[in-house]
Amino acid sequence: MPTMSEILASSRAQNLDLQLQTLGPFFRITAKSLETQKELGKAEGLIRFWLSGKILHLESIRLQRETLGMEKSIFGIGLFIGAVAIRYGYDCGCRTAELLAINDSDIFHHKLVRFYSRIGFKAVHEVTGSTFGDYAHMLVWGGIGTRMDASVEALLIKWCTRFKSGK
């Protein structure tokens, strides 16, 4: 599995500076261009304690519009930011990562679900707001969409060659 050092070294080879900040269970990851020093994106989340153990709760990932045309890797800058989050969760003892592929529009939602599925997440629940059970999801996530989970260890193993090769 890639270490945090290997992920950060791989990002620097792509002219990305990734920074992880933590405060209690909360974390924020920022990505800046080493060339321009502009912020290119950020992710936020927290380590949640649950009956089954610690869960890596990926709250949001936001990329600047200018990153749409960049090709930093096969998956883009989001993969670098996500890898830091996943490795951080692993280092904190999380076994599962969870997120909501938000449904702001059908086209964008479909692309998000496809992207997260491609990198190793699996859909576990459609949050539509049409059932009483959806209200808890909507309170936690702040919207409707596809709830997705992944094994933190499986994600790191799947991404291993990407970050160990330093491409």
Side-chain angles (χ1 to χ4, degrees):
M1 287 187 285
T3 64
M4 186 66 83
S5 297
E6 289 170 326
I7 295 167
L8 295 175
S10 181
S11 72
R12 282 189 297 276
Q14 297 293 316
N15 288 320
L16 290 175
D17 176 35
L18 297 175
Q19 296 292 319
L20 170 67
Q21 299 169 300
T22 62
L23 179 63
F26 302 98
F27 67 87
R28 173 182 288 158
I29 299 152
T30 54
K32 286 185 181 177
S33 166
L34 287 173
E35 296 167 347
T36 65
Q37 292 302 307
K38 281 185 161 182
E39 185 175 293
L40 300 174
K42 67 181 173 183
E44 296 174 336
L46 63 116
I47 305 298
R48 211 162 46 91
F49 296 89
W50 201 243
L51 299 173
S52 60
K54 294 179 182 176
I55 296 173
L56 178 65
H57 178 97
L58 301 167
E59 181 64 32
S60 68
I61 183 166
R62 291 184 176 85
L63 300 177
Q64 299 300 325
R65 188 167 294 285
E66 66 196 66
T67 64
L68 293 175
M70 294 179 171
E71 196 54 44
K72 294 291 185 189
S73 76
I74 192 168
F75 294 113
I77 293 168
L79 183 66
F80 284 100
I81 295 171
V84 171
I86 297 299
R87 183 65 212 201
Y88 174 68
Y90 180 82
D91 291 343
C92 289
C94 296
R95 296 175 59 197
T96 302
E98 65 179 11
L99 58 81
L100 179 78
I102 198 81
N103 190 351
D104 289 335
S105 73
D106 287 339
I107 292 171
F108 189 63
H109 176 250
H110 177 73
K111 288 180 180 183
L112 277 177
V113 171
R114 190 174 65 217
F115 171 77
Y116 288 125
S117 295
R118 226 168 97 194
I119 64 172
F121 282 84
K122 296 194 182 351
V124 295
H125 183 72
E126 287 297 325
V127 180
T128 62
S130 62
T131 67
F132 186 71
D134 282 351
Y135 291 118
H137 288 291
M138 292 170 66
L139 283 171
V140 169
W141 296 100
I144 61 171
T146 304
R147 265 271 299 108
M148 303 182 83
D149 287 352
S151 159
V152 168
E153 187 172 335
L155 290 176
L156 287 172
I157 290 169
K158 182 174 183 164
W159 300 348
C160 181
T161 55
R162 175 66 190 102
F163 296 106
K164 284 197 172 276
S165 63
K167 291 180 185 171

